[in-house]
């Protein structure tokens, strides 16, 4: 029993292993259900059951795991921008709703690519798409894995950097992103550019849509 508890503790503490279904085989008795609940397994069988029952239950659980994985992939695709791979607006607000106190304080940035429409009109939509994809790479190179990157609209991007509060560092980060974007060259040697606005959510505040408005005003 102690070995099973240790095994399940490892499984439940690692998010990468959560999608693995766990079936427990337990002895018969009145403590069967309580034991299974304590172990936090997905399902259980009494050891008296024939192997055919065990095979059928394993197949059922694998089928459910496949179904949930497909559902997760579909939800992820529905939350992503097809061009840049960043979150779309739907995915962004889902992340905002899932914020925890440990994510605070945080900084939220609103970036606007300058003259994207002009680029599309003058050089074609392929050039505009390359500009959007380049900026998404700039954001990825200047943020951490746990930060939130979103293509909020046509030429607008939202970035949320968790656990940061120093105004100088926050401002410098926005400036660095804009500077890196200026390295993108259009045809005829023209440089791309972007503008940014920033708002800070302190540890005693709650992230709301007002933060986006403050970032927009700063922009």
């Amino acid at each position: 029993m102690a070995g099973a508890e240790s095994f399940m503790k490892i499984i439940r503490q690692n998010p990468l292993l959560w999608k693995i279904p766990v079936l427990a085989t337990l002895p018969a008795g009145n403590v069967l259900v309580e034991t299974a609940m304590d172990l936090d397994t997905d399902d259980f069988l009494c050891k008296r059951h024939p192997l055919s029952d065990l095979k059928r239950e394993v197949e059922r659980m694998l089928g459910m795991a496949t179904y949930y994985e497909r559902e997760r992939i579909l939800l992820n695709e529905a939350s992503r921008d097809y061009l840049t791979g960043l979150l779309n607006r739907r995915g962004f607000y889902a992340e905002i709703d899932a914020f925890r106190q440990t994510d605070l304080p945080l900084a939220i940035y609103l970036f606007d690519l300058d003259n994207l429409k002009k680029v599309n009109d003058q050089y074609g939509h392929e050039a505009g798409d390359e500009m959007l994809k380049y900026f998404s790479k700039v954001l990825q190179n200047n943020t951490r894995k746990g930060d939130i990157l979103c293509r909020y609209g046509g030429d607008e991007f939202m970035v949320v950097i968790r656990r940061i509060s120093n105004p100088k560092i926050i401002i410098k980060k926005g400036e660095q992103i804009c500077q890196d974007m200026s390295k993108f060259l259009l045809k005829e040697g023209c440089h791309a550019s972007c503008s940014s606005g920033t708002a800070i959510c302190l540890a005693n505040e709650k992230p709301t849509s007002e933060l986006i408005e403050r970032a927009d005003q700063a922009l």
Side-chain angles (χ1 to χ4, degrees):
M1 181 66 180
E5 289 178 346
S6 299
F7 175 77
M8 286 306 302
K9 185 176 182 180
I10 294 173
I11 290 287
R12 296 314 183 203
Q13 287 181 342
N14 189 342
L16 296 177
L17 303 178
W18 288 351
K19 62 182 179 180
I20 300 177
V22 180
L23 174 67
T25 55
L26 302 169
N30 294 331
V31 297
L32 181 62
V33 176
E34 290 81 0
T35 302
M37 292 179 66
D38 290 341
L39 288 175
D40 194 22
T41 60
D42 296 291
D43 209 339
F44 62 90
L45 274 179
C46 174
K47 286 185 178 180
R48 294 186 308 177
H49 282 277
L51 286 177
S52 58
D53 286 356
L54 177 61
K55 180 182 178 182
R56 184 164 52 250
E57 184 63 16
V58 169
E59 289 175 347
R60 184 190 69 81
M61 293 182 67
L62 289 175
M64 290 298 296
T66 301
Y67 170 80
Y68 287 128
E69 179 64 12
R70 288 175 180 170
E71 186 179 56
R72 184 193 66 80
I73 291 173
L74 289 173
L75 287 173
N76 182 62
E77 289 178 349
S79 300
R80 294 279 169 183
D81 173 58
Y82 74 96
L83 182 64
T84 63
L86 305 183
L87 291 173
N88 57 24
R89 189 174 297 202
R90 174 181 178 178
F92 175 78
Y93 281 110
E95 289 286 341
I96 292 291
D97 290 340
F99 270 148
R100 297 167 299 199
Q101 192 65 31
T102 53
D103 294 317
L104 304 177
L106 58 81
I108 184 167
Y109 297 81
L110 175 59
F111 292 95
D112 182 85
L113 298 186
D114 300 331
N115 300 322
L116 177 62
K117 185 179 183 304
K118 183 178 179 181
V119 171
N120 286 329
D121 293 341
Q122 187 170 347
Y123 302 110
H125 285 275
E126 287 187 3
D129 289 349
E130 287 301 315
M131 182 176 173
L132 291 166
K133 289 188 284 187
Y134 184 89
F135 187 65
S136 71
K137 293 296 182 185
V138 168
L139 294 181
Q140 291 168 359
N141 292 337
N142 281 278
T143 53
R144 302 163 299 186
K145 186 176 180 180
D147 296 329
I148 299 173
L149 310 179
C150 164
R151 185 183 176 192
Y152 196 69
D155 57 359
E156 291 184 332
F157 290 77
M158 301 290 299
V159 174
V160 178
I161 297 183
R162 309 173 197 256
R163 296 181 296 279
I164 186 171
S165 60
N166 189 312
K168 291 183 178 179
I169 295 177
I170 291 171
I171 293 173
K172 185 177 180 181
K173 175 65 65 177
E175 291 175 345
Q176 183 64 54
I177 290 172
C178 291
Q179 181 179 337
D180 287 354
M181 185 57 194
S182 67
K183 298 175 183 177
F184 180 75
L185 288 175
L186 298 166
K187 294 179 181 179
E188 301 173 6
C190 297
H191 290 266
S193 63
C194 67
S195 306
S196 69
T198 310
I200 301 174
C201 182
L202 301 177
N204 60 347
E205 295 181 304
K206 185 176 181 180
T208 64
S209 57
E210 182 188 354
L211 272 176
I212 299 175
E213 294 176 6
R214 283 160 51 188
D216 189 30
Q217 290 172 2
L219 174 67

